[in-house]
Amino acid sequence: MWATNLKIVGLVVTTVLLYTLVANMIPQLESEVPGELTFSGQVTTEQLVAAGEELYQGAGGCTACHGLGTRAPDLLTDEAGQGNVAARCDRRVQGLACKEYLYQSMTEPNAYVVSGYQPIMPDMRRTLSAAQIWSVIAYLQSLGGEVTVTGEDIAKTEQAQGGAPGAQTPPAGAATASLDPLELLRSNQCLVCHKLGTEGGVIGPDLTAVGRRADAEYLRRAILEPNADTASGYAAVAGTMPVNFGQQLTAAQLEVLVRYLVGRK
Amino acid sequence: MRRQNRLGMGIGMGMALVALAFDPALAFAQEAAGAVREYGNFPWLGARGAIWIAAEVHLMFAAFVLGVPIFGVVAEAIGIWSKDERYDRLAKEFIRLLVIAYSATAIWGAVLTFFLITLYPRFWAHLSAVFEVSMWVYVGLFFLESFTLYLYYYGWDHWKTGRAKLGHLWLGILLNVWGTIVMFIADSWLSYMMSPPTAVTPDTAPETVRLWSAIANATWMPINIHRIIANVVFGGSVVAAYAAYRFLAARTQEERAHYDWMGYVGNFVAISALIILPFAGYYLGREVYEYNEPMGITMMGGFMSWLWIIQAFLIGVLFLAGNYYLWVGMERIPGAERFQPYTKWLLLVLVTGVIVWATPHTMIASREELEAMGGSHHPFLGVLGVMSAKNTAVNLMILTTFLSYLMYRRANKRPVVAWARTGSMVQAAIFLAAAAVVLFYGIYGYYVTAIVRIGFSVYQVLAVLTTIISVMILDMLVLRGAESRGEIRWGQMPVRSQYALFVLVVTFTWLMGLMGFARSGIRQHWHIWEVMRDTSPWAATPALGYAAQMISACVLIFLGLIAFVFWLGGLIEKPALLPKATPAPAASPVPATMPAD
Amino acid sequence: MRELLKHPFWQAVIIVVGSFVLFEFGVAYLPPLLGMKSAPVPNSVLLQYMLTVLVGLLVYVSDNEQRWRRFKEPLHAVLVDPGKRALRMVLLVAVPLLVGFVTYDQLRPSVEAPLGLRSIHPAPPGQITFRGKTIVLARLENPLRADGSIAEDYQVGKRVYYQNCLPCHGDPLNGRGHYAHGFNPAPLDFTDNGTIPQLTESFVFWRVAKGGPGLPKEGTPWNSAMPAWEEFLTEEEIWSVIIFLYEQTGWTPRTWEEAAEGAEE
C-alpha cells in the first residue's frame, strides 16, 4: 500500500508542479497601483507626512525658494529666531490655526506676505491637487508641532472644488495653455529665479542671452532634467530648480520655449 | 452595544471637527484616540499571504461541505425510490466524510476570521459595521446546520425504514437549506467587496449603509448560483478521488466493486455539473461588466488576460481526463468493444479543441518571431485566437464528451423497441445538426460585428443544450426495457483509470484556486471596490507566477488535510464493514444507467 | 511496414513527428500556397501545441488495455532485452546529454531580449485628462457622428492621417509605413480584424491621445513609439481621424451595449 500511496502523492505533486510551472512560464504582470494621491477619509498621518515630504523636496518645487534664505522664508530650520514653520505657524495670523494658515498661504499666498519678502509665491492649487496640498501641510506640521491634517480636510477641499470625493484627482496639468514664450516663462515661475532682460530673479543663470552659449538640445534637457548638468558658478543652488516641467509643459509648449530661448543671442 | 460605541465615537469625531477650528490641541487628542491600526503583519508570508491561504483552504473545505450533502441527499432519495441498498450506503459514506470535514471547515473559518481581525483591522471594522446583523444570523445558522448534520448522520441507522426514512430524508434537505443560506450570507460579504452599492462612497460611514442594499449587490446572485454548481462539481470530484483511493487500497473484490462504482458516480456528478458551470460563469462575467466596465475589461483583457489561457489549459486537462476515465471504463462493460474504434476520433476532436481553445491571440514571441509575424498576432493562427473560434471549440468538446457518455451508457444494452434503429438515426441527426450549427455560427462569426457575434454564442450554447436534453430523452425511450449484453464488471477497472480521478480532483481544486484569484484579483488595489483602498504594501495584485505558487500551496494543504479526513473515515468504518457480508454488487442486478435516469 | 503502422508505439512516434512538422513548417508554408498570409509559429506556441499532442497520445495509447500493453512492449524490450544492449547504452548516454544541452541552451547568456508579452488592447482608464479637460471614456461616443457630415469629417481625418500617421501606419493603413520596420512593437495594422473593429471609438481616442507613454503596465515591456497626439492634435482632429480609420478600412466600431462581453484576448 505504501507504494500506492507514494504513487498518488507523486502524481498529485507532479500535477500541481506542472500547473505552477505553466503559470510561471507566461509573462508575469502585476497590477498597477496608481501613484497619484487619492487618499480616502481614513488616511493616516504617517502617509500624509511621507507623501508631503516627497512633494516638498521634489515635484512640488517648494525648495526653489524656501530654504535659500533670500527669496522666501526658511521653513525647515529657523527664521528670524522664531523656530521652524511648525513652531511659528499658529502665531502668524490671529484666529487662524496652523493648518488653516498654511493652507491659505499656499492657496492665497499674497494674503499674508511675511515682511521683508516679495509677493512671488504662486497659487499652489495650479500645480498640486487638494490631497497633495494637504500632505505638504502635514509634512510641515510634522517638523515640530502636532499634525492636525486628516483625510477629512482633503475630502472637504475636494468637495469645495467640485470634484467628486474619492475620485481620482486629475494630475497637475499645465500652468497655462498659452503658446506665447514670455507668458510661459512667467506663468511657470521661471522668472522667479532666472533673469530675462530686466525682468526676473538672480538665483539661477541669466537667460537674457542664453542662445549664445546653449543649443536647443541642451536647453530641452536642462528644462526637463535640471539636475543633469549645473551651470558653472551655480553649484550652490544645484537641485533647486523643480523637476516637474516635463509634466507641466505640453510638448508644444516645451518646443516653443526652447526655440525662443535659443533665439536669445 | 458595539454599534452604540461606534456611534458615540462618530459623534465624538464630529464634535472634534467642529472644535478643530478653535483648539488644535483638542483636535489632536481626538485624532490620536480615533486612529486605528490599519494592517497587521504576519511573519514570512505577509498579511496578504496568510489571509490568502486561510481564505482559500476554508473555501475549499466549505465547497466540499456544501457540495457533498446535495448529492448525498439525492443518492439517498434514489436509494429510497429505487429500493437499491447501494445508493443508501453510498449516501451514508458521503455524509460520514462530511462530519469530519465539517469541523475542518469551521476551524479554517475561525482562522480566517482571526486573521482578518488581526491583519486587516481597518477593513474588518468596515465590514463588521455594515454586516453585523448578518454575522449574527450566520453564527446562528451555523448552529442549526451542525445539529441538523449530527441528527442526519447519527440518526441514519435509527430512522431507516418506512415513514421515519422519509423524515430522515427531510433532515437531509433541511441540512442543504441551512448550508445554502449560510453560503448566501458569506457570499454577500465578499460580493460587497467586489461590487458595493453605488451609493456607498469612501466617505460613507459604514454604519449608515443599509444592510439589504449591501447584501443584494450586483454580483451577489451570480456568485451564489455559480458557487452552488461549482460546489457540486467539486464535491463530486473529491468523492471520486476518495473512491479511487479506497479502490486502490481495497483487498476484496466486493470492496473494489463498490468503490469502482462510487468513483464512477462521483465523476459522473462532477462532469455533468461542470457542463453547466460555464453558463453560470457567463452570467457572473456579464454582471461584472454591467456593474463596472473597467473591472470587466481588467478581468478579460487587461493584465489578467493570460489567466484565461491557463484556465483553458486546465479545462483541457479536465476534458481529456474525464473522457479517458469513461473510455478506460468501457473495458469493463461487455459489448463496449463495438464503440472502442471510435474513441480515437473523439480524442482527435478533443485534442484539436484544446489546441484551438488554448491558442493565444497575443503570442509570446522573440524579436525575430514578432518580426516574421508582423506584430504579436499570428497572421494565420490569429484566427483561432478570437472568441468565435474558442466558443466553437468548447461547444464541440462538450458535445464530444456527451457522445462518449452516450456510448458508455449504451455499451451493454441491446434496444428492443421496434423503432430503435430510427431512434438512433434521429439521435445521430440531432448530433450532426448541433455540430453544424456550432460550426456555422463559429465561422459566420468572423463576418459580422462584435455585437452580432456575441449573440451567436448564445445560439451555439442553445444548440448544444437542446442536443443534450433531447438526445438524452430519446436515449431513455430507445433503451426502455433493453436487453443486457452482460453486466458491468464493477471492480475490474485498470488501476490507471483511478489515477485519472486523482488528476481530475487536483485540477478541479487548482482551477478553483485560480478562479478565486481572478475574482478577488480584479478588485486590484481596493479592499472594497472604489470605497476602501488597499494602502498596505500588498496592494498590487500579484503576477500569475506568484499566484500559482500560492494556489499550489493551498491545494496541497487542502488535499493533505482531506487525505487525513479520508483516512479517519476508513478507521471509523473498518469494524462496521468487515463482518457485514452483503451480496457482492457485481452479482446483484446492477443498473447500468446512472443517477441521471 | 504495415505492421509498423499498426503498432501503437510507432503510430505514436509517427504522430509526434508528423504534428511537429505540421506545426513547425505546415502552418508557415501551406497557407501561402492557398493564397493566405502566414508566418512561422512562435516557439512558445509550438511547445504548447506539442504538449497537448503528447498528452493526447498518452490518452490514446493507454485508453485500451491491449494497446497499452503493446505500446509498452518496445520500451520494455529496450530496457531489459539482452540483444538491445548497444541501443540501451546509446540511450543511456544520449538522453542525459540531451537534457544537459537543453539546460545549457536555456541558461547560456544571449543577446536576445527576454520574451515578453504585450497586451495590445489593455484595459482603458475610466477617464483621462485631455489638455486639462477631463474626458470620461466609459460609454463615450464619437461626438462627430452625432452632428456634422461624416464625409467632411472623413476629409479632415484623411488630411490628419496623411500628415501625421502615414509614416508608420502606412498608405494602405496596414501598419507597414516607411518607418514601421524600425519599431518594436510594430505599428498596428488597421486592416486586421483583430484591431479597430474590436474596439470602441472611445478606446481608440484614448490610444491616439495618450500614445505609447500613456500605456499601462500590461502594454509593456517595450513601450510603443506612438507619440501622445494630444499635444499636437485637437480633440476634433483626433475624432475625425478615427472616423477616417473606420471609413477607410470599412470596419465598424464596437458599440457599447454589446461591449458587455469579454474583450478579445
Side-chain angles (χ1 to χ4, degrees):
Chain A
M1 194 55 210
W2 279 110
T4 317
N5 281 345
L6 275 182
K7 264 195 225 167
I8 298 172
V9 171
L11 179 78
V12 168
V13 172
T14 317
T15 319
V16 167
L17 280 183
L18 174 72
Y19 296 157
T20 317
L21 181 75
V22 172
N24 274 288
M25 264 162 44
I26 59 166
Q28 301 295 306
L29 286 175
E30 266 196 6
S31 83
E32 220 166 342
V33 181
E36 289 125 284
L37 295 175
T38 49
F39 292 134
S40 61
Q42 291 96 342
V43 63
T44 64
T45 311
E46 289 76 30
Q47 288 170 320
L48 280 172
V49 170
E53 179 167 11
E54 210 177 306
L55 281 167
Y56 186 89
Q57 308 288 359
C62 312
T63 49
C65 298
H66 294 284
L68 286 169
T70 53
R71 306 201 58 81
D74 190 323
L75 300 179
L76 303 189
T77 52
D78 179 68
E79 173 73 19
Q82 294 180 323
N84 66 22
V85 65
R88 62 181 192 259
C89 57
D90 49 338
R91 277 173 294 158
R92 273 284 299 143
V93 176
Q94 198 67 38
L96 276 187
C98 180
K99 69 171 179 182
E100 286 153 45
Y101 166 69
L102 288 176
Y103 184 76
Q104 289 218 5
S105 346
M106 288 175 76
T107 54
E108 299 160 42
N110 297 341
Y112 312 108
V113 181
V114 179
S115 61
Y117 295 103
Q118 294 301 306
I120 55 167
M121 176 146 163
D123 179 352
M124 296 312 291
R125 279 177 298 194
R126 285 215 301 239
T127 46
L128 301 180
S129 70
Q132 287 171 321
I133 291 179
W134 283 110
S135 331
V136 170
I137 296 174
Y139 166 65
L140 293 177
Q141 283 189 319
S142 77
L143 294 171
E146 301 140 335
V147 180
T148 55
V149 177
T150 63
E152 296 278 341
D153 293 315
I154 299 172
K156 274 194 289 183
T157 312
E158 273 169 353
Q159 255 155 0
Q161 287 173 356
Q168 296 194 347
T169 24
T176 169
S178 160
L179 283 177
D180 170 33
L182 272 175
E183 165 67 18
L184 283 171
L185 285 168
R186 287 192 193 108
S187 62
N188 285 294
Q189 313 297 334
C190 308
L191 299 184
V192 167
C193 298
H194 296 280
K195 205 174 189 71
L196 189 76
T198 54
E199 199 182 343
V202 290
I203 295 180
D206 192 330
L207 299 180
T208 313
V210 67
R212 285 189 211 150
R213 55 178 198 272
D215 61 359
E217 196 177 337
Y218 177 86
L219 284 172
R220 210 176 280 127
R221 176 143 165 252
I223 294 170
L224 295 176
E225 296 173 39
N227 300 330
D229 183 35
T230 308
S232 65
Y234 290 91
V237 290
T240 304
M241 179 156 159
V243 291
N244 62 340
F245 287 118
Q247 282 92 54
Q248 272 196 40
L249 298 171
T250 66
Q253 287 177 332
L254 177 69
E255 282 316 299
V256 166
L257 206 53
V258 167
R259 247 176 262 162
Y260 173 76
L261 290 174
V262 170
R264 304 279 308 183
K265 296 206 166 140
Chain B
M1 267 301 280
R2 272 172 36 214
R3 166 151 243 154
Q4 276 171 359
N5 272 342
R6 226 190 329 274
L7 261 176
M9 219 165 84
I11 294 169
M13 294 268 272
M15 279 163 58
L17 283 173
V18 178
L20 205 72
F22 308 103
D23 191 346
L26 173 67
F28 181 72
Q30 284 287 345
E31 165 82 18
V36 217
R37 196 174 67 111
E38 296 207 333
Y39 297 102
N41 194 12
F42 194 85
W44 191 56
L45 275 176
R48 179 179 63 187
I51 284 284
W52 191 330
I53 291 181
E56 189 60 60
V57 177
H58 170 62
L59 206 80
M60 284 166 179
F61 269 108
F64 178 66
V65 158
L66 290 170
V68 167
I70 295 179
F71 61 86
V73 166
V74 173
E76 190 185 9
I78 293 175
I80 293 175
W81 276 286
S82 72
K83 308 247 177 326
D84 188 339
E85 200 31 41
R86 286 194 311 164
Y87 282 100
D88 200 60
R89 204 177 129 202
L90 181 77
K92 193 180 168 194
E93 200 163 357
F94 288 162
I95 304 299
R96 186 176 54 234
L97 299 178
L98 193 60
V99 175
I100 313 171
Y102 197 77
S103 38
T105 318
I107 293 169
W108 280 96
V111 171
L112 174 59
T113 315
F114 286 128
F115 277 10
L116 274 176
I117 295 172
T118 54
L119 300 176
Y120 287 85
R122 175 168 68 105
F123 163 71
W124 178 254
H126 180 104
L127 203 66
S128 52
V130 175
F131 282 105
E132 58 185 352
V133 178
S134 73
M135 286 176 176
W136 302 328
V137 176
Y138 184 80
V139 177
L141 280 170
F142 218 58
F143 264 99
L144 286 177
E145 195 191 355
S146 356
F147 282 97
T148 313
L149 173 64
Y150 294 147
L151 271 181
Y152 187 52
Y153 176 65
Y154 291 104
W156 201 287
D157 295 321
H158 191 72
W159 297 303
K160 206 163 170 57
T161 46
R163 212 172 255 253
K165 183 71 183 165
L166 287 183
H168 185 255
L169 182 68
W170 184 81
L171 269 180
I173 294 170
L174 202 62
L175 175 65
N176 278 303
V177 171
W178 299 139
T180 310
I181 300 177
V182 161
M183 185 186 76
F184 277 25
I185 294 177
D187 285 353
S188 72
W189 305 335
L190 66 95
S191 56
Y192 171 78
M193 290 168 69
M194 265 175 93
S195 55
T198 38
V200 182
T201 66
D203 300 315
T204 314
E207 293 87 354
T208 60
V209 178
R210 278 182 28 248
L211 181 62
W212 181 248
S213 75
I215 290 180
N217 61 67
T219 54
W220 182 50
M221 242 331 134
I223 282 187
N224 286 337
I225 293 170
H226 195 274
R227 283 199 164 171
I228 290 179
I229 302 171
N231 288 345
V232 175
V233 176
F234 188 65
S237 70
V238 175
V239 164
Y242 166 76
Y245 178 73
R246 298 300 301 267
F247 178 91
L248 293 177
R251 300 231 166 85
T252 63
Q253 175 56 33
E254 181 209 343
E255 262 186 273
R256 251 194 294 279
H258 175 69
Y259 288 113
D260 182 10
W261 177 72
M262 184 173 178
Y264 170 73
V265 176
N267 187 43
F268 175 83
V269 170
I271 300 283
S272 338
L274 177 72
I275 286 178
I276 44 175
L277 198 54
F279 308 124
Y282 183 81
Y283 173 39
L284 175 58
R286 182 137 201 129
E287 287 298 316
V288 169
Y289 266 91
E290 297 264 301
Y291 175 74
N292 188 301
E293 188 105 17
M295 193 195 234
I297 297 178
T298 306
M299 175 169 76
M300 298 305 298
F303 81 102
M304 283 216 158
S305 57
W306 270 82
L307 186 144
W308 305 101
I309 299 288
I310 307 275
Q311 190 221 20
F313 176 72
L314 289 174
I315 293 192
V317 171
L318 286 181
F319 270 110
L320 284 172
N323 279 282
Y324 179 69
Y325 179 79
L326 284 179
W327 295 335
V328 175
M330 277 161 64
E331 291 199 24
R332 55 169 148 64
I333 309 178
E337 314 79 57
R338 335 172 247 147
F339 295 129
Q340 277 191 345
Y342 302 108
T343 56
K344 56 174 170 288
W345 303 115
L346 298 185
L347 179 65
L348 184 69
V349 176
L350 284 179
V351 169
T352 318
V354 175
I355 283 183
V356 170
W357 197 19
T359 298
H361 193 209
T362 311
M363 294 181 175
I364 309 175
S366 69
R367 239 199 80 72
E368 288 85 54
E369 288 167 341
L370 285 175
E371 188 96 337
M373 292 194 293
S376 50
H377 291 182
H378 193 279
F380 182 68
L381 294 177
V383 170
L384 304 180
V386 293
M387 240 35 206
S388 281
K390 289 173 198 247
N391 282 341
T392 309
V394 166
N395 280 306
L396 288 181
M397 280 158 79
I398 293 178
L399 274 183
T400 311
T401 308
F402 180 60
L403 191 60
S404 278
Y405 169 67
L406 268 193
M407 287 176 4
Y408 185 96
R409 212 179 112 86
R410 279 221 169 175
N412 67 339
K413 307 259 178 70
R414 187 179 290 119
V416 288
V417 288
W419 50 279
R421 211 180 152 69
T422 331
S424 304
M425 296 289 226
V426 174
Q427 281 181 321
I430 295 177
F431 254 106
L432 284 179
V437 168
V438 169
L439 272 177
F440 169 74
Y441 280 114
I443 294 168
Y444 189 43
Y446 287 101
Y447 298 96
V448 294
T449 57
I451 163 164
V452 186
R453 183 172 58 238
I454 285 149
F456 284 177
S457 66
V458 176
Y459 302 142
Q460 292 181 318
V461 162
L462 279 181
V464 171
L465 276 188
T466 325
T467 310
I468 292 181
I469 294 169
S470 59
V471 169
M472 201 63 212
I473 293 173
L474 260 177
D475 210 52
M476 282 184 216
L477 294 176
V478 169
L479 290 184
R480 184 181 283 176
E483 287 172 10
S484 172
R485 292 170 186 265
E487 295 307 332
I488 299 185
R489 297 182 290 266
W490 290 111
Q492 292 189 9
M493 187 74 162
V495 174
R496 42 178 205 285
S497 65
Q498 304 301 310
Y499 288 106
L501 291 181
F502 287 117
V503 170
L504 278 173
V505 77
V506 173
T507 311
F508 273 124
T509 319
W510 214 89
L511 193 56
M512 195 164 139
L514 185 73
M515 294 295 100
F517 166 65
R519 188 196 56 71
S520 185
I522 52 171
R523 276 185 285 118
Q524 296 177 283
H525 49 276
W526 296 95
H527 288 314
I528 300 164
W529 179 256
E530 289 185 345
V531 172
M532 184 185 279
R533 222 183 122 116
D534 186 345
T535 52
S536 73
W538 310 282
T541 307
L544 263 174
Y546 175 82
Q549 287 160 22
M550 293 301 285
I551 296 166
S552 295
C554 295
V555 169
L556 290 178
I557 293 173
F558 170 75
L559 291 179
L561 287 174
I562 206 92
F564 177 67
V565 168
F566 287 173
W567 180 72
L568 282 181
L571 283 190
I572 301 175
E573 176 211 33
K574 248 166 207 155
L577 187 74
L578 287 179
K580 200 164 67 184
T582 43
S588 66
V590 176
T593 52
M594 281 303 120
D597 304 14
Chain C
M1 194 61 206
R2 267 192 101 79
E3 268 308 291
L4 222 58
L5 278 179
K6 284 206 167 155
H7 195 287
F9 182 81
W10 296 112
Q11 282 177 338
V13 171
I14 291 168
I15 292 174
V16 169
V17 174
S19 38
F20 179 78
V21 171
L22 177 69
F23 296 140
E24 176 74 43
F25 305 107
V27 172
Y29 300 112
L30 288 183
L33 299 182
L34 301 171
M36 279 180 276
K37 273 196 293 183
S38 193
V41 182
N43 278 329
S44 62
V45 180
L46 184 71
L47 179 71
Q48 181 190 327
Y49 284 0
M50 287 311 293
L51 266 181
T52 315
V53 170
L54 280 181
V55 172
L57 271 180
L58 200 63
V59 168
Y60 168 68
V61 294
S62 70
D63 75 357
N64 177 303
E65 191 62 44
Q66 204 194 347
R67 201 184 294 145
W68 182 227
R69 216 177 302 122
R70 288 194 65 202
F71 174 77
K72 288 189 294 187
E73 270 166 15
L75 298 174
H76 195 254
V78 169
L79 286 179
V80 297
D81 203 342
K84 296 209 162 58
R85 199 185 143 81
L87 180 59
R88 191 151 58 233
M89 285 301 161
V90 169
L91 282 179
L92 205 63
V93 175
V95 171
L97 274 182
L98 185 70
V99 172
F101 175 74
V102 171
T103 315
Y104 165 75
D105 195 47
Q106 295 266 316
L107 293 180
R108 75 184 158 148
S110 96
V111 290
E112 184 76 354
L115 293 190
L117 175 91
R118 290 183 67 247
S119 186
I120 297 192
H121 304 143
Q127 58 181 48
I128 59 172
T129 315
F130 185 89
R131 295 193 177 186
K133 169 185 167 194
T134 302
I135 296 181
V136 178
L137 291 181
R139 312 237 144 234
L140 176 66
E141 301 285 353
N142 190 337
L144 299 186
R145 288 198 190 267
D147 45 42
S149 81
I150 293 290
E152 260 171 51
D153 298 327
Y154 170 85
Q155 288 306 328
V156 177
K158 187 172 179 179
R159 178 184 60 77
V160 173
Y161 183 89
Y162 278 93
Q163 283 176 355
N164 300 285
C165 318
L166 177 79
C168 302
H169 289 284
D171 192 26
L173 282 71
N174 64 356
R176 299 250 160 174
H178 292 102
Y179 297 165
H181 303 278
F183 295 130
N184 176 31
L188 218 54
D189 172 4
F190 299 123
T191 59
D192 178 357
N193 81 343
T195 62
I196 51 173
Q198 308 287 348
L199 305 168
T200 58
E201 284 182 298
S202 76
F203 188 102
V204 182
F205 181 83
W206 168 55
R207 291 307 333 127
V208 175
K210 295 292 175 182
L215 276 173
K217 207 192 263 176
E218 61 253 37
T220 52
W222 301 294
N223 276 327
S224 139
M226 171 115 156
W229 289 104
E230 63 172 339
E231 295 182 354
F232 308 97
L233 300 177
T234 64
E235 203 181 331
E236 300 243 308
E237 284 173 321
I238 297 183
W239 284 121
S240 31
V241 82
I242 291 171
I243 288 192
F244 170 75
L245 291 185
Y246 282 104
E247 293 293 314
Q248 187 67 20
T249 52
W251 301 120
T252 40
R254 191 179 197 128
T255 39
W256 278 106
E257 297 79 52
E258 288 75 38
E261 235 262 315
E264 312 275 344
E265 196 54 49

